[in-house]
Amino acid sequence: YFYVGRWYNETNRKKWSTRIFMNNLSDIATVKEILTRHGFRFSKSLGQNFLINPTVCPRMAELGGAGPGVAALEVGPGIGVLTRELAARCDKVVTIELDKRLLPVLGETLQDFSNVTVVQGDVMQLDLSALFQQEFAGRDVIVCANLPYYITSPVIMRFLEERLPIRSLTVMVQKEAAQRLCARPGERACGAVSAAVRYYAEPKVLFSVSRGSFMPAPHVDSAVIRLDIRQPGDYEHPLSAEEEKQLFRVVRAAFGQRRKTAVNSLSAGLSMDKARVIKAMEQAGLPPAARAEQLTLDDFEVLSQALFTEE
């Protein structure tokens, strides 16, 4: 009778039902109930698609390196499905949400976790260096996020280019974007962003996620990738800030006209005489007929030096 009495005690019944309720954030009916109660409507402009596949977020958290002694930064928590998985494993989680309408939703779905801080703002506008100093000083930090498709590359490149103190980025992106971000030289998907990512990190595709794993379902499939950040000691020949700037100027120009040879693309993109570009290619030990996607990052570094030493 004691347990029956507890079962029907109103206060404990609410606590019990809320706990069960929050453990079902991948259930469509649960998600709809929460969003309806808070008067929330999906925004296409913000690329809002919430995960309803219960296997994805635990797998992302585990493969992303979440665990004791680790802190995590998340971008775009939605209703907090991945946030809860990170909070259950990490010492601390900071999650950045742009949509103010989701703040009361997150206040409810994350109420069981005292180690989560929700920051309202635009990840592309926030002072991330100050945020890291305030929230993560001295901690081992990972980034783990289900990124809105419309800002995938800008967000990733901001984290990489600002050299924030993070160990890795594990993010879910559109499948095509995943192939492009992780492409190796010689692969058709290889582009300027592929080279940039490989300069800062070692990328790999972890697993695919079907479009039916989301509500509402997008028109494309997704994939989870992990970028292991290169540390200062990982660079055999570290470049200065100016040399880095020149390198990426060359990379962007080389991929600017993909159907042309690297010589023609570089000549047009850098406004350089073609003969000078050919000479630089030869100095770098590269065939003049090579296309940009055939060049490795090391090739681009040597070529950049050859091109700008002449100036």
Side-chain angles (χ1 to χ4, degrees), residues 3-52:
Y3 290 102
V4 172
R6 285 190 60 187
W7 180 274
Y8 284 102
N9 177 275
E10 183 64 19
T11 300
N12 286 324
R13 185 190 67 79
K14 287 182 178 180
K15 290 181 179 179
W16 175 86
S17 61
T18 299
R19 189 173 296 110
I20 298 299
F21 191 64
M22 292 310 161
N23 286 334
N24 284 279
L25 290 183
S26 295
D27 176 71
I28 295 179
T30 299
V31 175
K32 287 183 177 179
E33 198 283 333
I34 294 175
L35 298 182
T36 299
R37 181 152 39 80
H38 287 276
F40 178 85
R41 292 180 181 274
F42 289 94
S43 169
K44 289 185 178 180
S45 65
L46 295 179
Q48 291 173 330
N49 303 91
F50 297 162
L51 273 165
I52 54 173

Side-chain angles (χ1 to χ4, degrees), residues 293-306:
E293 63 267 22
Q294 296 175 301
L295 305 184
T296 66
L297 188 56
D298 287 340
D299 291 337
F300 278 116
E301 289 187 20
V302 176
L303 178 58
S304 177
Q305 291 174 359

Side-chain angles (χ1 to χ4, degrees), residues 24-278:
N24 284 279
L25 290 183
S26 295
D27 176 71
I28 295 179
T30 299
V31 175
K32 287 183 177 179
E33 198 283 333
I34 294 175
L35 298 182
T36 299
R37 181 152 39 80
H38 287 276
F40 178 85
R41 292 180 181 274
F42 289 94
S43 169
K44 289 185 178 180
S45 65
L46 295 179
Q48 291 173 330
N49 303 91
F50 297 162
L51 273 165
I52 54 173
N53 183 331
T55 69
V56 174
C57 290
R59 195 175 178 190
M60 280 187 69
E62 291 291 339
L63 295 178
V70 176
L73 176 68
E74 182 190 20
V75 178
I79 62 172
V81 185
L82 177 58
T83 322
R84 289 176 62 88
E85 297 295 338
L86 294 170
R89 294 167 173 79
C90 295
D91 290 356
K92 183 172 185 176
V93 177
V94 175
T95 185
I96 301 172
E97 177 53 58
L98 174 61
D99 194 342
K100 294 180 179 179
R101 300 174 304 155
L102 284 171
L103 298 185
V105 176
L106 291 167
E108 178 180 340
T109 61
L110 301 176
Q111 62 182 312
D112 293 338
F113 296 95
S114 59
N115 60 338
V116 177
T117 299
V118 179
V119 176
Q120 192 281 318
D122 185 343
V123 67
M124 296 302 294
Q125 300 297 327
L126 290 173
D127 185 339
L128 294 181
S129 294
L131 178 67
F132 270 71
Q133 183 61 37
Q134 177 180 333
E135 301 289 346
F136 298 129
R139 294 179 182 269
D140 190 11
V141 184
I142 62 171
V143 173
C144 194
N146 174 20
L147 293 178
Y149 293 157
Y150 74 100
I151 57 167
T152 293
S153 293
V155 171
I156 290 175
M157 291 312 302
R158 185 179 185 203
F159 278 114
L160 296 178
E161 291 173 346
E162 293 193 12
R163 298 189 182 280
L164 296 166
I166 55 179
R167 187 174 72 193
S168 65
L169 287 94
T170 301
V171 293
M172 185 185 302
V173 299
Q174 185 176 333
K175 194 169 186 178
E176 183 180 330
Q179 294 168 344
R180 186 168 60 251
L181 290 163
C182 299
R184 295 179 177 278
E187 295 179 348
R188 187 173 183 179
C190 185
V193 71
S194 313
V197 165
R198 286 194 178 273
Y199 179 77
Y200 293 108
E202 183 63 37
K204 59 182 175 182
V205 178
L206 297 180
F207 60 93
S208 298
V209 181
S210 69
R211 63 194 72 185
S213 298
F214 298 87
M215 185 186 83
H219 299 298
V220 295
D221 292 328
S222 302
V224 176
I225 64 174
R226 173 168 166 159
L227 311 181
D228 290 314
I229 309 301
R230 300 187 193 281
Q231 303 304 315
D234 295 336
Y235 293 89
E236 186 176 355
H237 303 290
L239 301 181
S240 67
E242 182 60 28
E243 288 172 331
E244 281 188 7
K245 182 179 178 180
Q246 293 173 348
L247 169 63
F248 291 118
R249 184 181 168 195
V250 170
V251 169
R252 286 192 295 271
F255 283 101
Q257 301 180 53
R258 295 183 63 95
R259 294 185 179 181
K260 296 186 177 182
T261 63
V263 167
N264 288 328
S265 295
L266 288 166
S267 178
L270 298 176
S271 300
M272 285 186 179
D273 182 74
K274 187 174 178 180
R276 178 180 170 184
V277 177
I278 292 175

